Amino acid sequence: MTRYSLIGALAALTALPASAQQFELSAYGGIQGLPHSHVSGNDPAGIGAFSFSAGWEGNSFAAPPYYGLRGTWWRTETFGLSLDFTHSKAYADAQTLANSGFPVLEFTDGINTLTLNALQRFPMGSAFTPYVGGGLGIAVPHVEVQSGGASPRTFEYQYGGVVAQFQTGISYDLGNSWNVFGEYKFNYVDLDVDLTGGGSLSTNLITNAINIGAGFSF
């Protein structure tokens, strides 16, 4: 889906008839990890062409910790739109660094995804409300890469590519406009970044997270 078709689809969603509108602001943290992914690219200022399988660590509680912020516009009692920012991380593990020869390969100041999502919730006539959602967005990672001891180090924020997100969870109404929730969240990041010296690096990062958070509605 192109950027323009995504914008058109989202505009159509916001044009849906609205009733019982409600806004909700949420914050969450949790545990986030990543499976292996294939890393490829070229660093003419370093080791040249490269291609290898990388193991990743999320280190959710190491500074800066994993967290997320979300704003949800519930257009009806059951349907809403959310803007979701997640600060997730990826560190290449020690074996990957040893096998690849990279001194540094990480996105530890964030993979930093921002997604626009459609959410569906399922009122049960109690304080518990299950929900599910998904959407698309962008990644703005902090790229920290050095392919060899004598090569220049890339250390900057970049536009990294397109993100697809899926989430499912359940919230619990505490009263007085507050709720708490637990959820599973999946992000697929099609990452393609530039390296200092004219190179590039590509990989597909998948983050799996178990989140616990709180929200306030108004």
Side-chain angles (χ1 to χ4, degrees):
M1 180 180 286
T2 68
R3 179 177 60 183
Y4 300 107
S5 59
L6 172 61
I7 292 171
L10 295 173
L13 285 174
T14 58
L16 290 173
S19 62
Q21 294 189 33
Q22 182 185 60
F23 294 90
E24 181 179 336
L25 298 178
S26 307
Y28 56 86
I31 300 175
Q32 166 254 320
L34 309 91
H36 283 61
S37 71
H38 185 75
V39 175
S40 62
N42 184 49
D43 187 4
I47 63 172
F50 53 85
S51 178
F52 55 89
S53 177
W56 302 100
E57 298 174 347
N59 294 343
S60 301
F61 303 114
Y66 166 81
Y67 70 91
L69 302 170
R70 180 182 306 151
T72 305
W73 179 20
W74 291 106
R75 297 275 289 165
T76 71
E77 188 67 26
T78 59
F79 177 81
L81 298 171
S82 74
L83 189 63
D84 196 335
F85 170 79
T86 307
H87 176 85
S88 54
K89 302 180 295 179
Y91 303 71
D93 61 26
Q95 182 176 354
T96 297
L97 296 178
N99 292 344
S100 67
F102 278 52
V104 182
L105 176 56
E106 58 190 56
F107 307 94
T108 50
D109 275 329
I111 303 171
N112 299 322
T113 59
L114 182 66
T115 57
L116 189 54
N117 307 278
L119 297 178
Q120 186 76 27
R121 59 185 176 183
F122 307 94
M124 301 174 61
S126 70
F128 291 97
T129 304
Y131 61 89
V132 65
L136 297 173
I138 62 171
V140 185
H142 189 267
V143 184
E144 301 177 43
V145 176
Q146 187 177 20
S147 70
S151 63
R153 180 173 177 175
T154 305
F155 190 83
E156 62 185 13
Y157 289 99
Q158 298 183 23
Y159 168 72
V162 177
V163 179
Q165 178 171 298
F166 169 78
Q167 64 198 99
T168 184
I170 188 166
S171 67
Y172 180 79
D173 185 7
L174 297 174
N176 296 318
S177 300
W178 286 95
N179 71 81
V180 293
F181 60 89
E183 67 179 20
Y184 164 74
K185 188 149 78 88
F186 165 96
N187 277 358
Y188 177 89
V189 185
D190 184 12
L191 203 63
D192 189 358
V193 297
D194 296 326
L195 302 180
T196 300
S200 64
L201 180 148
S202 298
T203 190
N204 296 322
L205 295 178
I206 295 174
T207 65
N208 294 289
I210 301 297
N211 298 329
I212 297 175
F216 179 77
S217 299
F218 56 96

